[in-house]
Amino acid sequence: MKVLIVATGNPGKLQEMQALLAGLDWELALKPDALEIEETGATFAENARLKASQVAKATGEWAIADDSGLEVDALDGAPGVYSARYGKTDVERIDRLLHELGNELNREARFVCVVAIARPDGAIVLQADGICAGNILYAPRGTGGFGYDPIFYVPEQRLTFAEMTSEQKHALSHRGKALQALLPQFQAL
Ligand code: IMP
């Protein structure tokens, strides 16, 4: 079985990828903790490619990385690639976003995710993206998920990401869609 290193320190992402890539002839493993990659890119794609490439080169194995974030129209796309660095904790990040948006009526937003796969020599061989559109609520709702989930409302489901089961969320989330888009290309490798 071939090994695919998941270039994240987040066990939740490893589980999500394992669920989606189950049945393939690949064994997924988390990257070593000590291996930290700085996200210096200006776009999700640059960061995903950077992380996959550097982890592949450092471990000598195939690597998969994702980069994701929330783009809010009325904030000119912020927090965007800075989503993880918008505050120290999830609560602080949500508070800051709600404060900056204030009573703005245009609450349109989208989660974006780019996934990239690198060969052991660091060359990027596959890339795919996924988008999930929604609205930012005025106050958090729900207790599931992580990050900005409690304020991200998906009109079609009439639920926030934090009110969905993990299966519901993965079926329509930006990360779920990006991985689904990557799957056929990955199988063909
Ligand atoms: P990264 O992709 O690990 O660099 O981090 C992206 C950041 O965007 C996370 O720390 C969260 O704040 C936010 N984010 C990305 N995906 C989600 C999601 O599915 N729900 C809530 N927040 C998310």
Side-chain angles (χ1 to χ4, degrees):
M1 220 185 221
K2 285 187 272 187
V3 175
L4 181 64
I5 308 287
V6 181
T8 176
N10 181 343
K13 283 191 186 173
L14 176 69
Q15 273 173 13
E16 251 181 74
M17 291 189 187
Q18 255 159 351
L20 272 148
L21 304 177
L24 298 184
D25 199 22
W26 290 83
E27 184 191 329
L28 269 62
L30 268 183
K31 74 163 177 62
D33 265 350
L35 183 59
E36 297 251 17
I37 314 293
E38 226 191 311
E39 297 184 10
T40 52
T43 62
F44 297 117
E46 273 176 38
N47 281 331
R49 295 168 73 95
L50 192 89
K51 286 188 270 188
S53 181
Q54 294 199 10
V55 168
K57 276 196 270 190
T59 58
E61 304 276 6
W62 289 76
I64 181 169
D66 83 318
D67 196 51
S68 55
L70 179 63
E71 293 179 345
V72 180
D73 285 355
L75 300 179
D76 295 327
V81 288
Y82 300 104
S83 293
R85 294 163 270 175
Y86 212 47
K88 286 199 209 91
T89 62
D90 281 345
V91 171
E92 276 186 28
R93 288 186 273 269
I94 286 179
D95 280 353
R96 179 172 171 194
L97 185 60
L98 291 180
H99 181 75
E100 288 185 1
L101 207 49
N103 287 326
E104 168 67 49
L105 292 178
N106 176 8
R107 321 275 308 177
E108 282 183 34
R110 73 199 55 76
F111 270 117
V112 180
C113 177
V114 177
V115 189
I117 291 184
R119 284 194 316 222
D121 66 358
I124 300 293
V125 291
L126 293 178
Q127 183 182 320
D129 51 47
I131 289 175
C132 180
N135 298 306
I136 303 299
L137 295 182
Y138 288 84
R141 260 174 51 181
T143 53
F146 72 101
Y148 299 90
D149 281 353
I151 55 168
F152 188 77
Y153 179 79
V154 183
E156 293 77 20
Q157 315 296 319
R158 298 193 183 174
L159 294 172
T160 67
F161 267 178
E163 293 173 315
M164 295 181 190
T165 62
S166 46
E167 288 76 19
Q168 273 177 308
K169 181 184 165 186
H170 297 164
L172 51 85
S173 80
H174 47 309
R175 195 166 302 104
K177 286 180 185 165
L179 286 167
Q180 290 288 0
L182 198 77
L183 203 56
Q185 306 172 48
F186 189 52
Q187 276 167 319
L189 262 187

